[in-house]
Amino acid sequence: MSQPTLFLSAAPEVRLTRAFEAPFANFLATARTCYSSKGVIPDVEINDRWIGLAKSLYQAGHHTTLQHAQFQFSLANVSRHFIWSFLHSHPFYNSEQVSQRYVPLKGEALSRYRSAVERQMKEYRQLIELLTPVTEDAYFDRFPGRRANAEKYAKEIQKRAQEIARYVLPIGTFAYLYHTVSGITLLRYARLCEQVDTTSETKLVVQAMVDALLEHDPAYETILEEPLPLDSTPEHSFLSTRNGDGERRRTFRSEFDRDLDGRLSQLVDYGARNEEVLADAVREVLGEPKAALSDDEAISLVFDPQLNPLLGEALNLTTHAKLTRALYHPHYTFRKRLSHAGDSQDQRHRMTPGSRPALTAHITGEPDYVIPRLVLEDGRTEAAYRESMERTWEDITAVRAAGASTEFAEYLLPNGVAIRFTESADLLNLFHKHAMRLCYNAQEEIWQASLEEAQQVAAVNPRIGRHLVPPCTVRFRAGHRPICPEGTRFCGERVWNLEVDAFTRRI
């Protein structure tokens, strides 16, 4: 992770970098092809006749034709919170995100805001220093053979310390990224760009994206709708009738955390016949009766890498292969509590969707944050971490008192702020997620949550749960080599020889 840079006065930068040459004409051509008896219809020159067709198709909800055209944007000076709350809150996008910086204010509020950010930056650097010894110890505990050449691994150790220290940095930290969406997703952005979270920033960035689209192809103006007003959204309509009573929010958080029973992720619902439904689906694909293929045999055939080696392929083939599509039918639902930083990674698994909160509706004047486990190993580090978090909530209160809106003050919330939500997954996509995130190289929180999920699934569906394992274990069972697909990034543990219940790690 690169070192964050302090940047307090920058507007979002939006640039359309790649697009279909004539996207709106392609929308019309694909629509006309659906009803053509003469084969595929090529793009046509747009005139009033075709504009009428476009409006008719749009109003009728025939929107798949708008998915063909793709638009790639480069975005800079957008907050990590905006990315979490809006850009990555749905499955229909692709992003490649890099680096971090910070957000603008004015007057006395700006002065206090600037002071708070500078303090967070300073404490981030101090935490890296405090974390380095315990991180170094944990690193060489995993890689004892590397201790003799400790200086060679200093940068690797520092990166791991930085990953933990960043929890005290604000969610208003800027990022830059490539973000690619289809035409229909961009139109949805435009319609729903006023949100209870990061309202001003969202509207500003989306308007710039729309402006770039219209400059590239003005014909989209014919079907572009005005944004749905903020006061027409159900979240705002409900929250505006409440007074932000901290007691209700504290009660909610207490109830939620109690239900987690000490876990990061708690299994709260699953199909009553998950294993039987999976076995039935396998038999249906193959046309086999129960007498010829038992439940145990059917589940093993689709889900045991020894019998189905495509599960160990580097290229995820499960969505496209006939037999593994049977894994869509078993379902699991989890309640989760992760940090903003941890959930920003969890969220990228778009096919295990969650109902994430309007964060502003969860915040009270009291600190509410996640503590990384390595921080708890050293008393000085833990004390410094807790003190930084306490000061951050004090600064948020002070920035609001100085005249800043809640929206801007909450950009100071730390990456470690707790996010509470429910997430559901079908087995096909849960398997893929766990194969990625049970790897010992995965970020600590998402690894721990995935471990808890795999263990809980195994408790209720043992014939399924025993196959929720890291990528090296899948590859080992499938007979693929090398066993670890990470190459020089090998975690240092022969994880494929361990049962999931024996998994443990410090870093």
Side-chain angles (χ1 to χ4, degrees):
M1 187 183 76
S2 60
Q3 198 74 332
T5 304
L6 189 61
F7 198 112
L8 286 167
S9 56
E13 297 176 6
V14 178
R15 188 164 62 94
L16 180 61
T17 55
R18 298 284 189 281
F20 268 41
E21 183 176 350
F24 201 81
N26 178 259
F27 155 51
L28 290 169
T30 57
R32 292 180 64 214
T33 298
C34 293
Y35 305 99
S36 170
S37 61
K38 300 178 181 178
V40 174
I41 302 297
D43 292 357
V44 296
E45 183 176 346
I46 296 173
N47 55 35
D48 290 343
R49 174 189 176 190
W50 302 129
I51 290 297
L53 173 63
K55 290 180 178 179
S56 173
L57 290 168
Y58 181 80
Q59 291 298 328
H62 299 310
H63 293 160
T64 57
T65 51
L66 288 160
Q67 292 183 30
H68 295 281
Q70 298 291 307
F71 302 91
Q72 182 191 71
F73 294 89
S74 65
L75 307 178
N77 300 342
V78 294
S79 74
R80 296 184 69 253
H81 185 54
F82 161 68
I83 294 169
W84 172 83
S85 179
F86 189 80
L87 288 186
H88 291 175
S89 64
H90 65 95
F92 307 115
Y93 73 90
N94 191 46
S95 280
E96 304 304 330
Q97 180 180 335
V98 197
S99 197
Q100 301 184 358
R101 297 180 196 123
Y102 290 82
V103 178
L105 282 177
K106 297 180 179 179
E108 183 182 350
L110 172 60
S111 177
R112 186 62 193 251
Y113 188 96
R114 187 190 300 273
S115 174
V117 171
E118 289 172 347
R119 175 192 56 76
Q120 288 171 310
M121 286 292 299
K122 179 181 178 182
E123 290 170 356
Y124 162 76
R125 291 188 289 267
Q126 290 173 340
L127 271 171
I128 292 174
E129 293 180 10
L130 287 169
L131 279 163
T132 296
V134 67
T135 305
E136 183 179 73
D137 182 69
Y139 183 83
F140 290 127
D141 185 43
R142 181 183 289 184
F143 300 100
R146 298 181 180 182
R147 194 180 292 273
N149 298 301
E151 67 285 346
K152 181 179 178 181
Y153 302 102
K155 287 185 178 179
E156 179 67 22
I157 291 167
Q158 184 185 38
K159 284 198 294 186
R160 292 172 185 255
Q162 286 177 184
E163 182 179 46
I164 298 169
R166 71 193 171 102
Y167 276 53
V168 303
L169 289 173
I171 62 174
T173 298
F174 277 5
Y176 55 87
L177 66 155
Y178 277 113
H179 188 71
T180 302
V181 292
S182 70
I184 189 61
T185 295
L186 190 50
L187 291 172
R188 289 168 178 159
Y189 280 1
R191 183 64 171 152
L192 198 60
C193 65
E194 295 199 32
Q195 299 275 320
V196 292
D197 281 289
T198 61
T199 305
S200 300
E201 182 185 7
T202 303
K203 190 171 183 179
L204 190 65
V205 175
V206 171
Q207 185 60 57
M209 296 172 78
V210 169
D211 289 345
L213 169 69
L214 295 179
E215 182 178 356
H216 179 71
D217 193 335
Y220 276 91
E221 184 74 49
T222 61
I223 57 173
L224 181 67
E225 294 185 88
E226 288 296 315
L228 189 67
L230 177 62
D231 57 12
S232 295
T233 63
E235 302 90 346
H236 181 270
S237 296
F238 178 83
L239 292 173
S240 64
T241 65
R242 301 298 177 112
N243 59 9
D245 180 17
E247 189 56 39
R248 287 199 308 273
R249 295 177 181 182
R250 283 187 287 271
T251 300
F252 158 75
R253 293 186 333 205
S254 177
E255 290 175 351
F256 190 102
D257 294 353
R258 183 178 62 248
D259 290 345
L260 288 180
D261 196 25
R263 294 187 174 98
L264 302 186
S265 185
Q266 175 72 40
L267 178 65
V268 295
D269 195 27
Y270 56 95
R273 299 183 64 255
N274 269 342
E275 293 183 333
E276 292 80 4
V277 168
L278 175 58
D280 284 341
V282 171
R283 286 188 287 263
E284 290 158 9
V285 172
L286 300 173
E288 290 288 311
K290 285 186 178 181
L293 188 63
S294 71
D295 284 2
D296 286 352
E297 291 171 328
I299 292 172
S300 293
L301 184 61
V302 67
F303 215 25
D304 186 341
Q306 288 182 296
L307 300 176
N308 189 358
L310 72 79
L311 295 170
E313 292 284 323
L315 187 64
N316 182 15
L317 302 173
T318 53
T319 299
H320 296 80
K322 284 187 177 294
L323 195 60
T324 47
R325 286 201 291 269
L327 297 173
Y328 274 130
H329 305 302
H331 279 77
Y332 302 89
T333 298
F334 304 91
R335 299 189 89 189
K336 308 179 79 163
R337 179 182 183 269
L338 299 175
S339 71
H340 196 289
D343 188 41
S344 291
Q345 294 199 15
D346 185 55
Q347 185 185 51
R348 295 303 301 275
H349 292 274
R350 284 157 281 182
M351 302 311 293
T352 59
S355 52
R356 287 171 171 84
L359 187 56
T360 190
H362 285 219
I363 301 305
T364 66
E366 300 85 14
D368 178 36
Y369 56 88
V370 170
I371 306 178
R373 295 188 176 195
L374 204 61
V375 169
L376 296 172
E377 289 195 18
D378 180 74
R380 287 181 60 211
T381 303
E382 181 183 352
Y385 184 89
R386 290 184 182 276
E387 184 177 355
S388 178
M389 292 297 183
E390 296 281 345
R391 287 178 176 174
T392 290
W393 262 265
E394 291 172 3
D395 283 332
I396 291 170
T397 300
V399 168
R400 287 195 64 188
S405 67
T406 299
E407 172 190 339
F408 284 104
E410 288 179 355
Y411 276 119
L412 288 173
L413 285 167
N415 285 331
V417 66
I419 306 296
R420 295 171 176 84
F421 62 101
T422 293
E423 183 175 87
S424 292
D426 60 71
L427 181 57
L428 184 144
N429 287 293
L430 186 67
F431 168 77
H432 174 67
K433 179 179 180 178
H434 283 181
M436 302 299 292
R437 298 302 185 170
L438 284 172
C439 171
Y440 270 40
N441 284 336
Q443 191 259 3
E444 175 210 352
E445 273 186 274
I446 196 172
W447 178 86
Q448 182 64 38
S450 297
L451 176 60
E452 293 171 0
E453 291 165 10
Q455 291 171 332
Q456 292 173 85
V457 170
V460 297
N461 293 153
R463 290 178 291 183
I464 287 174
R466 65 193 181 93
H467 297 301
L468 296 177
V469 292
C472 56
T473 306
V474 176
R475 291 174 62 82
F476 176 70
R477 293 176 180 176
H480 290 309
R481 296 294 185 274
I483 295 174
C484 173
E486 293 290 327
T488 58
R489 297 181 299 276
F490 172 51
C491 73
E493 299 280 356
R494 297 173 66 85
V495 179
W496 56 89
N497 289 329
L498 300 175
E499 295 296 326
V500 169
D501 284 342
F503 282 13
T504 182
R505 55 177 273 198
R506 293 174 63 195
I507 56 171

